[in-house]
Coordinates of all heavy atoms in Angstrom, one line a residue:
A1 N 211.9 11.9 128.8 CA 212.9 12.4 127.9 C 214.1 12.9 128.7 O 213.9 13.5 129.8 CB 212.3 13.5 127.0
T2 N 215.3 12.8 128.2 CA 216.4 13.2 128.9 C 217.1 14.4 128.1 O 217.0 14.4 126.9 CB 217.4 12.1 129.1 OG1 217.8 11.5 127.9 CG2 216.9 11.0 130.0
T3 N 217.7 15.3 128.8 CA 218.4 16.4 128.2 C 219.9 16.3 128.5 O 220.2 16.2 129.6 CB 217.8 17.7 128.7 OG1 216.4 17.7 128.5 CG2 218.4 18.9 127.9
N4 N 220.7 16.4 127.5 CA 222.1 16.4 127.6 C 222.5 17.9 127.9 O 222.3 18.8 127.1 CB 222.8 15.9 126.4 CG 224.3 15.8 126.5 OD1 224.9 16.7 127.1 ND2 224.9 14.9 125.8
S5 N 223.1 18.2 129.0 CA 223.4 19.5 129.4 C 224.4 20.3 128.5 O 224.3 21.5 128.4 CB 223.9 19.6 130.9 OG 225.0 18.8 131.0
T6 N 225.2 19.5 127.9 CA 226.3 20.2 127.0 C 225.7 20.6 125.7 O 226.0 21.7 125.2 CB 227.5 19.3 126.8 OG1 227.0 18.1 126.3 CG2 228.2 19.1 128.1
T7 N 224.8 19.8 125.1 CA 224.3 20.2 123.8 C 222.9 20.7 123.8 O 222.4 21.1 122.8 CB 224.5 19.0 122.8 OG1 223.8 17.9 123.3 CG2 225.9 18.6 122.6
K8 N 222.2 20.5 124.9 CA 220.8 20.9 125.0 C 219.9 20.2 124.1 O 218.9 20.7 123.6 CB 220.7 22.4 124.8 CG 221.4 23.2 125.9 CD 220.7 23.2 127.2 CE 221.3 24.2 128.2 NZ 221.0 23.9 129.6
K9 N 220.2 19.0 123.7 CA 219.4 18.2 122.8 C 218.6 17.2 123.5 O 219.1 16.6 124.4 CB 220.2 17.5 121.7 CG 220.8 18.5 120.7 CD 221.4 17.8 119.5 CE 221.7 18.9 118.5 NZ 222.6 18.9 117.6
K10 N 217.3 17.2 123.2 CA 216.4 16.2 123.9 C 216.4 14.9 123.1 O 216.4 14.9 121.9 CB 215.0 16.8 124.0 CG 214.1 16.0 124.9 CD 212.9 16.8 125.4 CE 212.1 17.6 124.4 NZ 210.8 18.0 124.9
T11 N 216.6 13.8 123.9 CA 216.5 12.5 123.2 C 215.4 11.7 123.8 O 214.9 11.9 124.9 CB 217.8 11.7 123.4 OG1 218.0 11.5 124.8 CG2 219.0 12.5 122.8
Y12 N 214.9 10.8 123.0 CA 213.8 9.9 123.3 C 214.3 8.5 123.0 O 215.1 8.2 122.2 CB 212.6 10.1 122.5 CG 211.8 11.3 123.0 CD1 212.0 12.6 122.4 CD2 210.9 11.2 124.0 CE1 211.3 13.7 122.9 CE2 210.2 12.3 124.5 CZ 210.4 13.6 123.9 OH 209.7 14.7 124.3
T13 N 213.7 7.5 123.8 CA 214.0 6.1 123.5 C 212.8 5.4 123.0 O 211.7 5.7 123.4 CB 214.4 5.4 124.9 OG1 215.5 6.1 125.4 CG2 214.8 4.0 124.7
V14 N 213.0 4.6 121.9 CA 211.9 3.9 121.3 C 211.4 2.8 122.3 O 212.3 2.0 122.8 CB 212.4 3.2 120.0 CG1 211.3 2.4 119.4 CG2 212.8 4.3 119.0
T15 N 210.1 2.8 122.6 CA 209.6 1.9 123.7 C 209.1 0.6 123.1 O 208.9 -0.4 123.8 CB 208.5 2.6 124.5 OG1 207.5 3.0 123.6 CG2 209.0 3.7 125.2
T16 N 208.8 0.6 121.8 CA 208.4 -0.6 121.1 C 208.8 -0.5 119.7 O 209.0 0.6 119.2 CB 206.8 -0.7 121.2 OG1 206.4 -1.9 120.5 CG2 206.1 0.4 120.6
D17 N 209.1 -1.6 119.0 CA 209.6 -1.5 117.6 C 208.6 -0.6 116.9 O 207.4 -0.8 116.9 CB 209.6 -2.9 117.0 CG 210.6 -3.8 117.6 OD1 211.4 -3.4 118.5 OD2 210.8 -5.0 117.1
A18 N 209.2 0.4 116.2 CA 208.4 1.4 115.6 C 208.9 1.7 114.2 O 210.1 1.7 113.9 CB 208.4 2.7 116.4
Y19 N 208.0 2.1 113.3 CA 208.3 2.5 112.0 C 208.7 4.0 111.9 O 207.9 4.8 112.5 CB 207.2 2.2 111.0 CG 206.9 0.8 110.8 CD1 205.7 0.2 111.3 CD2 207.8 0.0 110.2 CE1 205.5 -1.1 111.2 CE2 207.6 -1.4 110.0 CZ 206.4 -1.9 110.5 OH 206.2 -3.3 110.4
A20 N 209.8 4.3 111.3 CA 210.2 5.7 111.1 C 209.6 6.0 109.7 O 209.8 5.3 108.7 CB 211.7 5.9 111.1
R21 N 208.9 7.2 109.6 CA 208.3 7.5 108.4 C 208.8 8.8 107.8 O 209.5 9.6 108.5 CB 206.8 7.6 108.6 CG 206.2 6.3 109.2 CD 204.8 6.1 108.8 NE 204.3 4.9 109.3 CZ 204.0 3.8 108.6 NH1 204.2 3.8 107.3 NH2 203.6 2.7 109.2
K22 N 208.4 9.1 106.5 CA 208.9 10.3 105.8 C 208.2 11.5 106.3 O 208.7 12.6 106.1 CB 208.8 10.1 104.3 CG 209.7 9.0 103.8 CD 209.7 9.0 102.3 CE 210.7 7.9 101.8 NZ 210.8 7.8 100.4
Y23 N 207.0 11.4 106.9 CA 206.3 12.5 107.5 C 205.3 12.0 108.6 O 205.2 10.7 108.7 CB 205.5 13.3 106.4 CG 205.0 14.6 106.9 CD1 206.0 15.6 107.1 CD2 203.7 14.9 107.1 CE1 205.6 16.9 107.6 CE2 203.3 16.2 107.6 CZ 204.3 17.1 107.9 OH 203.9 18.3 108.3
A24 N 204.7 12.9 109.3 CA 203.9 12.5 110.4 C 202.6 11.8 110.0 O 201.7 12.5 109.3 CB 203.6 13.7 111.3
G25 N 202.4 10.6 110.3 CA 201.2 9.8 110.0 C 201.5 8.5 109.4 O 202.4 8.3 108.7
K26 N 200.6 7.5 109.8 CA 200.8 6.1 109.3 C 200.6 6.0 107.8 O 201.1 5.0 107.2 CB 199.8 5.2 110.0 CG 200.0 5.1 111.5 CD 199.0 4.2 112.1 CE 199.2 4.1 113.6 NZ 198.0 3.6 114.3
E27 N 200.0 7.0 107.2 CA 199.7 6.9 105.7 C 201.0 7.2 104.9 O 201.0 7.0 103.7 CB 198.6 7.8 105.3 CG 198.8 9.3 105.5 CD 198.5 9.9 106.9 OE1 198.4 9.1 107.8 OE2 198.2 11.1 107.0
Y28 N 202.0 7.7 105.5 CA 203.2 8.1 104.8 C 204.2 6.9 104.7 O 204.2 6.0 105.6 CB 203.9 9.3 105.4 CG 203.1 10.5 105.3 CD1 202.2 11.0 106.3 CD2 203.1 11.3 104.1 CE1 201.4 12.1 106.1 CE2 202.3 12.4 103.9 CZ 201.5 12.8 105.0 OH 200.7 13.9 104.8
A29 N 205.0 6.9 103.7 CA 206.0 5.8 103.5 C 207.0 5.7 104.6 O 207.4 6.7 105.2 CB 206.7 6.1 102.1
K30 N 207.5 4.5 104.8 CA 208.6 4.3 105.8 C 209.9 4.8 105.2 O 210.1 4.8 104.0 CB 208.7 2.8 106.1 CG 207.5 2.2 106.7 CD 207.6 0.7 106.9 CE 206.4 0.1 107.3 NZ 205.6 -0.5 106.2
L31 N 210.8 5.3 106.1 CA 212.1 5.7 105.7 C 212.9 4.5 105.1 O 212.8 3.4 105.7 CB 212.9 6.2 106.9 CG 212.8 7.6 107.4 CD1 213.8 7.9 108.5 CD2 212.9 8.6 106.2
E32 N 213.5 4.6 104.0 CA 214.2 3.5 103.4 C 215.4 3.1 104.2 O 215.7 1.9 104.3 CB 214.6 3.9 102.0 CG 213.4 3.9 101.0 CD 213.6 4.7 99.7 OE1 214.8 4.7 99.3 OE2 212.7 5.2 99.2
S33 N 216.1 4.0 104.8 CA 217.3 3.7 105.5 C 217.0 3.0 106.8 O 217.7 2.1 107.3 CB 218.2 4.9 105.8 OG 218.4 5.6 104.6
Y34 N 216.0 3.5 107.5 CA 215.7 3.0 108.8 C 214.2 2.7 108.9 O 213.4 3.5 109.6 CB 216.0 4.0 109.9 CG 217.5 4.3 110.0 CD1 218.0 5.5 109.5 CD2 218.4 3.5 110.6 CE1 219.3 5.8 109.5 CE2 219.7 3.8 110.6 CZ 220.2 4.9 110.1 OH 221.5 5.2 110.2
P35 N 213.7 1.7 108.2 CA 212.2 1.5 108.2 C 211.7 1.1 109.6 O 210.6 1.6 110.0 CB 212.0 0.4 107.2 CG 213.3 -0.2 107.0 CD 214.4 0.8 107.4
L36 N 212.4 0.3 110.3 CA 212.0 -0.2 111.6 C 213.0 0.1 112.6 O 214.2 -0.3 112.5 CB 211.7 -1.7 111.5 CG 211.2 -2.3 112.8 CD1 209.8 -1.8 113.1 CD2 211.2 -3.8 112.7
L37 N 212.6 0.8 113.7 CA 213.5 1.1 114.8 C 213.2 0.2 115.9 O 212.1 0.0 116.3 CB 213.4 2.6 115.3 CG 213.8 3.6 114.2 CD1 213.5 5.0 114.8 CD2 215.2 3.5 113.8
K38 N 214.2 -0.5 116.4 CA 214.0 -1.5 117.4 C 213.8 -0.9 118.8 O 214.4 0.2 119.0 CB 215.2 -2.5 117.5 CG 215.4 -3.3 116.3 CD 214.3 -4.4 116.3 CE 214.5 -5.4 115.1 NZ 213.4 -6.2 114.9
E39 N 213.1 -1.5 119.7 CA 213.0 -1.1 121.1 C 214.3 -0.8 121.7 O 215.3 -1.6 121.5 CB 212.2 -2.1 121.9 CG 212.0 -1.8 123.3 CD 211.2 -2.9 124.0 OE1 210.7 -3.8 123.4 OE2 211.2 -2.8 125.3
G40 N 214.5 0.4 122.3 CA 215.7 0.8 123.0 C 216.6 1.7 122.1 O 217.5 2.3 122.6
T41 N 216.2 1.9 120.9 CA 216.9 2.9 120.0 C 216.7 4.3 120.5 O 215.6 4.7 120.9 CB 216.4 2.8 118.6 OG1 216.5 1.5 118.1 CG2 217.2 3.7 117.6
V42 N 217.8 5.1 120.6 CA 217.7 6.4 121.1 C 217.8 7.4 119.9 O 218.6 7.2 119.0 CB 218.9 6.8 122.0 CG1 218.9 8.2 122.4 CG2 218.8 5.9 123.3
V43 N 216.8 8.3 119.8 CA 216.7 9.3 118.8 C 216.8 10.7 119.3 O 216.4 10.9 120.5 CB 215.4 9.1 117.9 CG1 215.5 7.7 117.2 CG2 214.2 9.2 118.8
T44 N 217.2 11.7 118.5 CA 217.3 13.1 119.0 C 216.0 13.8 118.5 O 215.7 13.8 117.3 CB 218.5 13.8 118.4 OG1 219.7 13.0 118.8 CG2 218.6 15.2 118.9
Y45 N 215.3 14.5 119.4 CA 214.1 15.2 119.1 C 214.4 16.5 118.4 O 215.3 17.2 118.7 CB 213.4 15.5 120.4 CG 212.2 16.4 120.3 CD1 211.0 15.9 120.0 CD2 212.4 17.8 120.5 CE1 209.9 16.8 119.8 CE2 211.3 18.7 120.4 CZ 210.1 18.2 120.0 OH 209.0 19.0 119.9
L46 N 213.6 16.8 117.3 CA 213.8 18.0 116.6 C 212.5 18.9 116.6 O 212.6 20.1 116.8 CB 214.1 17.7 115.1 CG 215.4 16.9 114.9 CD1 215.5 16.5 113.4 CD2 216.6 17.7 115.3
A47 N 211.3 18.3 116.5 CA 210.1 19.0 116.5 C 208.9 18.1 116.7 O 209.0 16.9 116.5 CB 209.9 19.8 115.1
T48 N 207.7 18.7 116.9 CA 206.5 18.0 117.0 C 205.6 18.4 115.9 O 205.4 19.5 115.6 CB 205.8 18.3 118.4 OG1 206.6 17.9 119.4 CG2 204.5 17.5 118.5
V49 N 205.0 17.4 115.2 CA 204.0 17.6 114.1 C 202.7 16.8 114.5 O 202.8 15.6 114.8 CB 204.6 17.1 112.8 CG1 203.6 17.3 111.7 CG2 205.9 17.9 112.5
K50 N 201.6 17.4 114.3 CA 200.3 16.7 114.6 C 199.9 16.0 113.3 O 199.7 16.7 112.3 CB 199.3 17.7 115.1 CG 198.1 16.9 115.8 CD 197.2 17.9 116.5 CE 197.7 18.4 117.8 NZ 197.9 17.4 118.9
A51 N 199.6 14.7 113.4 CA 199.2 14.0 112.2 C 197.7 14.3 112.0 O 197.0 14.8 112.8 CB 199.4 12.5 112.4
R52 N 197.1 13.8 110.8 CA 195.7 14.1 110.5 C 194.8 13.5 111.5 O 193.7 14.0 111.7 CB 195.4 13.4 109.1 CG 195.8 14.3 108.0 CD 195.3 13.7 106.7 NE 196.3 13.9 105.6 CZ 196.5 13.2 104.6 NH1 195.7 12.2 104.3 NH2 197.4 13.5 103.7
D53 N 195.2 12.4 112.1 CA 194.3 11.7 113.1 C 194.4 12.4 114.5 O 193.8 11.9 115.5 CB 194.5 10.2 113.2 CG 196.0 9.9 113.6 OD1 196.8 10.8 113.9 OD2 196.3 8.7 113.6
G54 N 195.2 13.4 114.6 CA 195.3 14.2 115.9 C 196.5 13.7 116.8 O 196.7 14.3 117.9
V55 N 197.2 12.6 116.4 CA 198.3 12.1 117.2 C 199.5 12.9 117.0 O 199.8 13.3 115.8 CB 198.6 10.6 116.8 CG1 199.8 10.1 117.6 CG2 197.3 9.8 117.2
D56 N 200.3 13.2 118.0 CA 201.6 14.0 117.9 C 202.6 13.0 117.4 O 202.8 11.9 117.9 CB 202.0 14.5 119.2 CG 201.3 15.8 119.6 OD1 200.7 16.4 118.7 OD2 201.3 16.2 120.8
W57 N 203.3 13.4 116.4 CA 204.5 12.7 115.9 C 205.7 13.6 116.1 O 205.6 14.8 116.0 CB 204.3 12.4 114.4 CG 203.4 11.3 114.1 CD1 202.1 11.2 114.4 CD2 203.7 10.0 113.4 NE1 201.5 10.0 114.0 CE2 202.5 9.3 113.4 CE3 204.9 9.5 112.9 CZ2 202.4 8.0 112.8 CZ3 204.8 8.2 112.3 CH2 203.6 7.5 112.3
Y58 N 206.8 12.9 116.4 CA 208.1 13.7 116.6 C 209.0 13.6 115.4 O 209.2 12.5 114.9 CB 208.8 13.2 117.8 CG 208.0 13.4 119.1 CD1 208.3 12.6 120.3 CD2 207.1 14.4 119.2 CE1 207.6 12.8 121.4 CE2 206.4 14.6 120.4 CZ 206.7 13.8 121.5 OH 206.0 14.0 122.7
R59 N 209.5 14.7 115.0 CA 210.5 14.7 113.9 C 211.8 14.5 114.7 O 212.1 15.2 115.6 CB 210.5 16.1 113.3 CG 211.5 16.2 112.1 CD 211.3 17.5 111.4 NE 212.1 17.5 110.2 CZ 213.2 18.3 110.0 NH1 213.5 19.2 110.8 NH2 213.9 18.2 108.9
V60 N 212.5 13.4 114.3 CA 213.7 13.0 115.0 C 214.9 12.7 114.1 O 214.7 12.5 112.9 CB 213.4 11.7 115.9 CG1 212.4 12.0 116.9 CG2 213.0 10.6 115.0
K61 N 216.1 12.8 114.7 CA 217.3 12.5 114.0 C 217.7 11.1 114.4 O 217.8 10.8 115.6 CB 218.4 13.5 114.2 CG 219.6 13.2 113.4 CD 220.6 14.4 113.4 CE 221.1 14.7 114.8 NZ 222.0 15.8 114.8
I62 N 217.9 10.2 113.5 CA 218.3 8.9 113.7 C 219.8 8.8 113.3 O 220.2 9.1 112.2 CB 217.5 7.9 112.9 CG1 216.0 8.1 113.2 CG2 217.9 6.4 113.2 CD1 215.1 7.6 112.1
D63 N 220.6 8.3 114.3 CA 222.1 8.2 114.0 C 222.5 6.8 114.1 O 222.7 6.3 115.3 CB 222.8 9.1 115.0 CG 224.3 9.4 114.6 OD1 224.7 8.8 113.5 OD2 225.0 10.1 115.3
G64 N 222.6 6.1 113.0 CA 222.9 4.7 113.1 C 223.9 4.2 112.1 O 224.6 5.1 111.5
K65 N 223.9 3.0 111.8 CA 224.9 2.4 110.9 C 224.8 2.9 109.5 O 225.8 2.9 108.7 CB 224.8 0.9 110.8 CG 225.2 0.2 112.1 CD 225.0 -1.3 112.1 CE 225.3 -1.9 113.4 NZ 224.6 -3.2 113.6
K66 N 223.6 3.4 109.1 CA 223.4 3.9 107.7 C 223.6 5.4 107.7 O 223.1 6.1 106.8 CB 222.1 3.5 107.2 CG 222.0 1.9 107.1 CD 220.7 1.5 106.6 CE 220.6 0.0 106.5 NZ 219.3 -0.5 106.1
G67 N 224.2 6.0 108.7 CA 224.3 7.5 108.7 C 223.2 8.2 109.4 O 222.3 7.6 110.0
K68 N 223.3 9.5 109.4 CA 222.3 10.3 110.1 C 221.1 10.6 109.1 O 221.3 11.0 108.0 CB 222.8 11.7 110.5 CG 223.9 11.5 111.6 CD 224.4 12.9 112.0 CE 225.2 12.8 113.3 NZ 226.6 13.0 113.1
K69 N 219.9 10.3 109.6 CA 218.7 10.5 108.8 C 217.7 11.2 109.7 O 217.7 11.1 110.9 CB 218.1 9.2 108.3 CG 219.0 8.4 107.4 CD 219.0 9.1 106.0 CE 220.0 8.3 105.1 NZ 220.3 8.9 103.9
V70 N 216.8 11.9 109.1 CA 215.6 12.6 109.8 C 214.4 11.9 109.4 O 214.1 11.6 108.2 CB 215.6 14.1 109.5 CG1 214.3 14.7 110.1 CG2 216.8 14.8 110.0
G71 N 213.5 11.5 110.4 CA 212.3 10.9 110.1 C 211.3 11.3 111.2 O 211.5 12.1 112.0
Y72 N 210.1 10.6 111.1 CA 209.0 10.9 112.0 C 208.5 9.6 112.6 O 208.4 8.6 112.0 CB 207.8 11.5 111.2 CG 208.1 12.9 110.7 CD1 208.9 13.0 109.5 CD2 207.7 14.0 111.3 CE1 209.2 14.3 109.0 CE2 208.1 15.3 110.9 CZ 208.8 15.4 109.7 OH 209.1 16.7 109.2
I73 N 208.3 9.7 114.0 CA 207.9 8.6 114.8 C 206.8 9.0 115.6 O 206.8 10.1 116.2 CB 209.0 8.0 115.6 CG1 210.3 7.6 114.8 CG2 208.6 6.8 116.4 CD1 211.5 7.2 115.6
S74 N 205.7 8.2 115.8 CA 204.6 8.5 116.6 C 205.1 8.7 118.1 O 205.9 7.9 118.6 CB 203.6 7.4 116.6 OG 202.6 7.6 117.6
S75 N 204.6 9.7 118.7 CA 205.0 10.0 120.1 C 204.6 8.8 121.0 O 205.1 8.6 122.1 CB 204.3 11.3 120.6 OG 202.9 11.2 120.6
K76 N 203.6 8.0 120.6 CA 203.1 6.9 121.4 C 204.2 5.8 121.5 O 204.1 5.0 122.4 CB 201.9 6.3 120.8 CG 200.7 7.2 120.8 CD 199.5 6.5 120.1 CE 198.3 7.4 120.2 NZ 197.1 6.7 119.5
C77 N 205.2 5.8 120.6 CA 206.3 4.8 120.6 C 207.5 5.3 121.2 O 208.6 4.6 121.2 CB 206.5 4.4 119.1 SG 205.1 3.7 118.3
L78 N 207.5 6.5 121.8 CA 208.7 7.1 122.4 C 208.5 7.5 123.9 O 207.4 7.8 124.2 CB 209.1 8.3 121.6 CG 209.5 8.1 120.1 CD1 209.6 9.4 119.4 CD2 210.8 7.3 120.0
K79 N 209.6 7.5 124.6 CA 209.5 8.0 126.0 C 210.8 8.8 126.3 O 211.8 8.6 125.7 CB 209.3 6.9 127.0 CG 210.5 6.0 127.2 CD 210.4 5.1 128.4 CE 211.7 4.4 128.6 NZ 211.9 3.5 129.6

């Protein structure tokens, strides 16, 4: 993860095509605006939520062509 010194926001890069979801866990629906994030997409970290299966998911802000949205991505898909 890299930190931008001016805004103190942590960002992560998607390491493999990943689904952005409405909440932490594979059982939740995909975000309609950004259902699939391509490898290399950069997202802004907001918080960590533990899914039912014990995996950490990150609440992230996605800033793309369809505007700013907040979603959840498995920490396994981010670096």
Side-chain angles (χ1 to χ4, degrees):
T2 55
T3 305
N4 183 327
S5 57
T6 53
T7 57
K8 297 284 186 202
K9 289 194 171 148
K10 191 158 47 165
T11 60
Y12 284 94
T13 302
V14 178
T15 57
T16 179
D17 290 0
Y19 293 111
R21 304 210 178 250
K22 294 186 177 183
Y23 196 68
K26 291 178 185 166
E27 65 271 23
Y28 292 96
K30 297 176 187 97
L31 276 186
E32 288 164 26
S33 306
Y34 298 104
L36 181 67
L37 296 179
K38 295 286 186 193
E39 181 180 344
T41 303
V42 175
V43 295
T44 303
Y45 171 85
L46 300 171
T48 301
V49 178
K50 199 170 282 295
R52 278 188 218 156
D53 60 4
V55 174
D56 282 343
W57 283 61
Y58 294 159
R59 183 172 189 245
V60 297
K61 185 165 65 179
I62 305 156
D63 193 1
K65 291 178 183 154
K66 296 180 181 172
K68 292 182 170 110
K69 297 286 179 192
V70 172
Y72 293 80
I73 302 174
S74 171
S75 61
K76 294 177 178 179
C77 300
L78 297 169
K79 70 166 186 184

